[in-house]
Amino acid sequence: MHRFPLRSTPITRLSTFARGLTLVGILSLVHGPAYAVSADELLQILYKKGVITEEEYKILSGAGDKAAAPTAEPQAAAPIAPAVKPEAKAAPQVNTSFKDGFVWETQDKQNSIALSGRIQFDYRKYSSPDPINADTFDIRRAYLGARGKFWDHYEFQVVGDFGGLSGPVGTTTSSQSHLDEAYFNVAWWKQARFRFGQFDMPFSLETLMSDRFTDFMERSMASTFLAQGKGRGVMLYGVPTTGLYYGLAYANNAGKNTNDTAQTVDGKQITGRLAANFAEMFGQSQAVYHLGGAFADGTLPPAAAPSARTDARGFTFFSPTAFTGGTTDRKRLGLESAVAYGPFKFQGEYIRAKFAGTSTGGINYDKAINSYYADLNWLITGERYADAYSGGLFARIKPKSNFSPTGGGTGALELSLRYSKWDASDFPLSTTDNGTGVVITSATTAPTNEAKSYALGLKWIVNPNTRFLLHFIKTDFATPVTVTSGAPASTASTSSERAITARGQFDF
């Protein structure tokens, strides 16, 4: 059967036109949110697909006969990227490194934590009469702690001593572990930082130096017994300008691990230190020209008294009666200096302590103790002391080449000499000086009030964390010292103490 094509009548054209409008609307609704397509582009698509005629395209586009039908496929419109939720901020990566110990630190360096510790194993041999001192091995210190920083400005350190405390001759030796340090810092500004807790009071260069890095195994008589050491309180400290360091503390006047328990006496003290390294100020990196001063002013509770022990940790040669009456005002002054150039260093300090009050009998007393030390040091292998100076103190010496048992390194060798003096001649050897004289104790039946010490030391720094020390120490007393000790009790008298001490140390 022959079929005739349908002619385009007004009705069919109207029908097609309606369909085109409908499709334009539908496509606009459907594709609108997904594509950035204009109405003209939609008409071009409909015309190319044969949905509308050329005449309908012209009518719908509003251009009449002047509009030309499209001759090419329109370029597809670029899709609109769907909205993407912002990714959650990833936790900062933590890196592990070894900086004289293991340190965990975030990549932005604002947070870190590290373990710290040390072991000091000593041997002490005395040549003085046997009843005075016993040769012994000793775990001098066994510390374990942690330190860290959070949010870039908040620091902490907690250290415990598991080595125990060794009492003087004739007393019970304590093996009780105790807290050494526990504090946190608010370090908002380099010029002014705040410390809270138990820490070293800002007094004496030798006392503030860690026992890991002191020139000798034991600190001198001056800084050991006249500088307070650690205490509980608050401190303001900082570096106001290059090479200038200060600290100002307000704390209990009772020493480490001790609270203020005197109800009628405010047993607090204020302590301050100012030190400068002029070589650092003038940019001389190979040298240290250190000069500093410190003061401490506080009130001791009733029944307090100073004492002193030899540099070799032998016996207590100075032990006065407790101050009687009310409270005792204690004022201390310290001067410190250090000059280092290349592998040579001189270091010395002078400390004066004054004790003033009124005895039970109503008699005023004003007693002073003067003590000082001076030492010379030589790094035989050529390391520089200036490289170990930081923050107003001398710290870790790093050998040019670490010792290796398979060869290739020697470590660092250091030779040291020290002279120290203790002068408490204001305290007469009598029991009738209004409660302020030296009297018999359980350890010493005939004490002395003056002593001087000579020390020769050799130190081998195997690597930054390991060192061995050997010392010869001789202490002379102004008057012979008689000691009764032992069981059964025996008595010996001597005018000097001679000792050989050795230490193996590891720290991180």
Side-chain angles (χ1 to χ4, degrees):
M1 178 183 296
H2 180 72
R3 296 184 178 179
F4 295 94
L6 294 174
R7 294 183 62 185
S8 177
T9 64
I11 295 176
T12 57
R13 286 198 299 271
L14 182 59
S15 174
T16 303
F17 182 72
R19 286 187 290 110
L21 288 176
T22 303
L23 287 171
V24 170
I26 293 173
L27 288 174
S28 298
L29 292 173
V30 174
H31 294 281
Y35 295 91
V37 182
S38 66
D40 186 59
E41 290 173 328
L42 288 173
L43 290 173
Q44 292 181 31
I45 294 172
L46 292 174
Y47 172 73
K48 297 300 293 180
K49 298 295 183 182
V51 178
I52 59 175
T53 64
E54 181 179 351
E55 181 180 0
E56 291 168 342
Y57 169 77
K58 292 178 179 181
I59 294 172
L60 292 172
S61 64
D65 294 336
K66 295 181 180 180
T71 57
E73 284 285 340
Q75 187 174 0
I80 298 176
V84 179
K85 294 182 179 180
E87 294 184 4
K89 187 176 180 180
Q93 182 179 351
V94 177
N95 300 322
T96 302
S97 61
F98 185 86
K99 300 175 183 176
D100 301 321
F102 289 102
V103 180
W104 291 267
E105 186 176 48
T106 56
Q107 201 164 15
D108 59 10
K109 299 186 181 300
Q110 290 195 358
N111 306 278
S112 65
I113 190 168
L115 296 178
S116 64
R118 77 198 71 165
I119 299 172
Q120 295 175 344
F121 176 71
D122 291 3
Y123 176 70
R124 296 189 290 273
K125 180 176 179 59
Y126 302 94
S127 59
S128 53
D130 290 342
I132 295 180
N133 296 304
D135 303 339
T136 184
F137 290 104
D138 182 21
I139 301 295
R140 181 68 175 90
R141 294 179 180 91
Y143 286 2
L144 185 62
R147 65 183 186 276
K149 177 179 69 173
F150 291 90
W151 306 112
D152 203 31
H153 298 298
Y154 305 91
E155 306 161 340
F156 78 92
Q157 177 155 302
V158 178
V159 179
D161 183 1
F162 300 91
L165 301 172
S166 297
V169 171
T171 64
T172 302
T173 298
S174 170
S175 61
Q176 180 180 2
S177 301
H178 67 283
L179 183 68
D180 183 64
E181 287 185 315
Y183 64 81
F184 68 94
N185 300 331
V186 177
W188 290 335
W189 309 284
K190 181 180 178 181
Q191 297 81 1
R193 302 183 177 191
F194 306 91
R195 178 167 293 180
F196 309 87
Q198 180 167 292
F199 50 85
D200 276 309
M201 296 295 105
F203 193 104
S204 169
L205 171 63
E206 190 179 42
T207 302
L208 290 172
M209 288 172 57
S210 171
D211 54 73
R212 298 169 294 168
F213 312 131
T214 50
D215 296 327
F216 288 82
M217 286 173 54
E218 301 297 336
R219 298 180 175 95
S220 69
M221 292 181 285
S223 60
T224 299
F225 299 103
L226 296 184
Q228 176 177 330
K230 295 180 175 65
R232 293 178 175 177
V234 297
M235 180 170 67
L236 171 67
Y237 70 104
V239 184
T241 187
T242 300
L244 187 64
Y245 309 93
Y246 77 93
L248 186 64
Y250 183 67
N252 292 340
N253 199 13
K256 184 168 68 173
N257 294 325
T258 306
N259 292 337
D260 185 0
T261 59
Q263 298 175 343
T264 58
V265 179
D266 185 13
K268 305 291 189 302
Q269 75 171 4
I270 185 169
T271 309
R273 175 179 181 257
L274 181 65
N277 178 14
F278 297 100
E280 190 176 0
M281 291 179 178
F282 299 129
Q284 300 183 21
S285 60
Q286 294 189 357
V288 174
Y289 306 131
H290 176 102
L291 184 64
F295 74 93
D297 190 354
T299 302
L300 294 175
S307 63
R309 190 179 186 181
T310 62
D311 289 347
R313 290 183 64 79
F315 57 90
T316 300
F317 63 87
F318 176 74
S319 180
T321 56
F323 296 116
T324 64
T327 60
T328 300
D329 293 328
R330 180 179 65 174
K331 291 180 171 61
R332 288 173 290 171
L333 174 68
L335 299 175
E336 60 189 49
S337 65
V339 177
Y341 189 83
F344 301 98
K345 183 184 76 164
F346 163 83
Q347 182 174 312
E349 291 188 67
Y350 166 79
I351 300 177
R352 177 180 175 84
K354 290 190 66 176
F355 304 85
T358 303
S359 69
T360 302
I363 302 176
N364 294 332
Y365 59 86
D366 191 348
K367 304 292 182 182
I369 299 175
N370 298 281
S371 188
Y372 62 87
Y373 75 89
D375 63 42
L376 294 172
N377 305 273
W378 174 30
L379 282 166
I380 302 171
T381 44
E383 289 77 8
R384 301 187 309 184
Y385 287 102
D387 295 336
Y389 184 94
S390 177
L393 303 170
F394 291 95
R396 190 183 303 275
I397 292 175
K398 297 185 178 181
K400 287 184 174 181
S401 61
N402 294 337
F403 170 75
S404 172
T406 58
T410 60
L413 289 175
E414 182 184 44
L415 183 66
S416 300
L417 295 170
R418 181 172 72 187
Y419 173 78
S420 59
K421 177 70 180 293
W422 176 274
D423 182 0
S425 54
D426 261 9
F427 293 74
L429 302 178
S430 169
T431 61
T432 61
D433 189 43
N434 303 319
T436 63
V438 177
V439 300
I440 296 173
T441 68
S442 60
T444 309
T445 57
T448 188
N449 53 13
E450 293 185 62
K452 52 188 177 180
S453 173
Y454 308 87
L456 171 65
L458 181 63
K459 184 185 302 174
W460 181 28
I461 305 173
V462 178
N463 54 55
N465 302 90
T466 311
R467 59 182 57 193
F468 298 96
L469 302 89
L470 179 65
H471 293 154
F472 171 76
I473 305 170
K474 182 175 183 289
T475 305
D476 293 332
F477 307 113
T479 57
V481 175
T482 302
V483 174
T484 299
S485 63
S490 58
T491 301
S493 180
T494 182
S495 59
S496 67
E497 176 190 87
R498 294 178 297 277
I500 295 176
T501 62
R503 171 174 294 174
Q505 173 182 302
F506 176 79
D507 76 276
F508 59 92

